[in-house]
Amino acid sequence: MKETKSKSALITGITGQDGSYLAELLLDKGYEVYGVVRRLSTPNTERIETILPQLHLVEGDLYDEQSLISAIDLSQPDEVYNLAAQSFVKTSWNQAVLTGELTGMGVTRMLDALKHVKPDAKFYQASSSEMFGKVQETPQTEKTAFYPRSPYGVAKLYGHWMTINYRESYGMFAVSGILFNHESPRRGIEFVTRKVTDTAARVKLGLVDKVDFGNLDAARDWGFAGDYVEAMWLMLQQDKPDDFVIATGVTHTIKDFIVEAFKHIGIDNWQAHIGLDEKFMRPAEVDFLKGDATKAKEKLGWTPKTTFSELVKMMVDADMEKYRKIVKSAQNVE
């Protein structure tokens, strides 16, 4: 009996939040998983440490198309997930050119490499709700006009349209997931949600008394990254390529996130521990985002499983556990 060949997937950004959850999902589904990693003296593999023996890591860089060609040639992927980017919005103003090269032009290099080496592979591009920016309608759907308000949003929009262009020009199976904000305990500390839960944990354990933030009124549609990577996979299982908004349809402010986090640790007077500092404000703010994932529900059968409250508690609990271990380790040393 002839054995059925397992599918192969190539992930850029595999060491990031989304990449790590996606890699776990694909491994569970029996995929051979390849991950593109930049050549560093000390690779940051913390998020994929538990599955590292099951992965094939290949060197590559979105700045270097030849390295992407080599990675694709080696992995011969059935599916490619382009998750790598300079993804911190605030940094994009200070590093606008770098963000454009990596988050924007990097998509073109990957698409072009794929066109030359494995044009029949299915391609997923990580687009972003930041492309909506100064929103033109609420909620935002696949048909809502874009109005990015940061170099990051502009770069993401370039990659989004380039994905559509390669799909229409070359007949490639290339799709974009317009993902609204999605968080997890693996979120980088530079992101405001993780900063909130990290602060709550440190306050609870007496490690800090007060931490400064920026605009607490910015409103986002927050979901769980573990739920959202399933939507990425579902998009590449369709017969025809199409783009989808992935969101919960429920919006909360950063203040709401703070209140929920401090409530979970039993502190009502959160105001005593949260300060405001203009240096954390964006030059141009995205005030309100709320996605409509009706199309994803109807065509992909996807709906979010994790509530806002469950997400916040999950992140707070992870940070509490982390700092308890640090405190215990310090006490043992003493």
Side-chain angles (χ1 to χ4, degrees), residues 38-105:
R38 298 178 68 187
R39 189 173 184 276
L40 300 171
S41 56
T42 309
N44 178 20
T45 57
E46 181 183 354
R47 294 184 181 94
I48 55 173
E49 206 66 50
T50 58
I51 57 172
L52 208 47
Q54 300 168 262
L55 301 174
H56 308 282
L57 299 185
V58 294
E59 287 187 1
D61 199 310
L62 288 183
Y63 288 113
D64 178 17
E65 186 170 335
Q66 187 57 52
S67 72
L68 300 177
I69 288 174
S70 298
I72 294 166
D73 190 44
L74 174 69
S75 58
Q76 288 295 305
D78 297 292
E79 299 170 4
V80 174
Y81 296 86
N82 187 43
L83 310 184
Q86 190 301 100
S87 58
F88 189 40
V89 177
K90 191 172 187 302
T91 295
S92 73
W93 276 282
N94 298 327
Q95 299 183 336
V97 174
L98 178 147
T99 301
E101 279 288 339
L102 184 60
T103 307
M105 283 299 296

Side-chain angles (χ1 to χ4, degrees), residues 255-294:
K255 179 182 173 182
D256 293 335
F257 211 104
I258 292 170
V259 171
E260 190 72 30
F262 276 81
K263 183 174 76 172
H264 184 52
I265 58 171
I267 296 178
D268 294 324
N269 186 23
W270 60 269
Q271 294 94 333
H273 307 287
I274 301 295
L276 298 176
D277 191 324
E278 285 195 1
K279 73 180 181 182
F280 294 116
M281 300 286 191
R282 294 181 180 183
E285 182 61 88
V286 174
D287 297 312
F288 186 91
L289 291 173
K290 181 179 181 179
D292 181 350
T294 300

Side-chain angles (χ1 to χ4, degrees), residues 98-221:
L98 178 147
T99 301
E101 279 288 339
L102 184 60
T103 307
M105 283 299 296
V107 182
T108 308
R109 295 187 189 102
M110 177 55 83
L111 283 164
D112 206 53
L114 202 58
K115 177 170 73 78
H116 288 298
V117 183
K118 194 79 166 54
D120 61 333
K122 294 184 174 182
F123 176 81
Y124 172 85
Q125 166 58 17
S127 289
S128 167
S129 59
E130 287 287 328
M131 301 187 309
F132 293 120
K134 189 175 181 180
V135 297
Q136 303 300 290
E137 65 175 356
T138 298
Q140 294 86 55
T141 72
E142 293 81 4
K143 295 181 179 179
T144 301
F146 298 117
Y147 195 140
R149 294 268 283 172
S150 66
Y152 170 78
V154 172
K156 276 292 185 183
L157 187 53
Y158 177 91
H160 177 80
W161 278 112
M162 193 58 74
T163 301
I164 293 172
N165 188 265
Y166 268 66
R167 178 169 76 214
E168 295 179 349
S169 299
Y170 305 111
M172 295 171 67
F173 193 111
V175 307
S176 287
I178 307 174
L179 271 57
F180 280 63
N181 295 66
H182 46 288
E183 319 299 318
S184 76
R186 301 179 192 176
R187 191 52 136 162
I189 191 65
E190 69 272 20
F191 290 88
V192 68
T193 52
R194 183 68 194 290
K195 184 178 176 180
V196 168
T197 60
D198 180 88
T199 297
R202 288 191 293 153
V203 166
K204 181 66 176 178
L205 295 174
L207 300 175
V208 70
D209 182 58
K210 195 170 188 177
V211 174
D212 289 334
F213 284 76
N215 179 17
L216 302 187
D217 295 321
R220 297 289 184 273
D221 182 331

Side-chain angles (χ1 to χ4, degrees), residues 212-244:
D212 289 334
F213 284 76
N215 179 17
L216 302 187
D217 295 321
R220 297 289 184 273
D221 182 331
W222 277 300
F224 171 48
D227 293 342
Y228 284 36
V229 297
E230 183 185 13
M232 299 177 188
W233 176 76
L234 285 168
M235 286 181 215
L236 296 195
Q237 310 317 305
Q238 305 306 301
D239 294 330
K240 295 180 180 179
D242 203 353
D243 305 322
F244 293 88

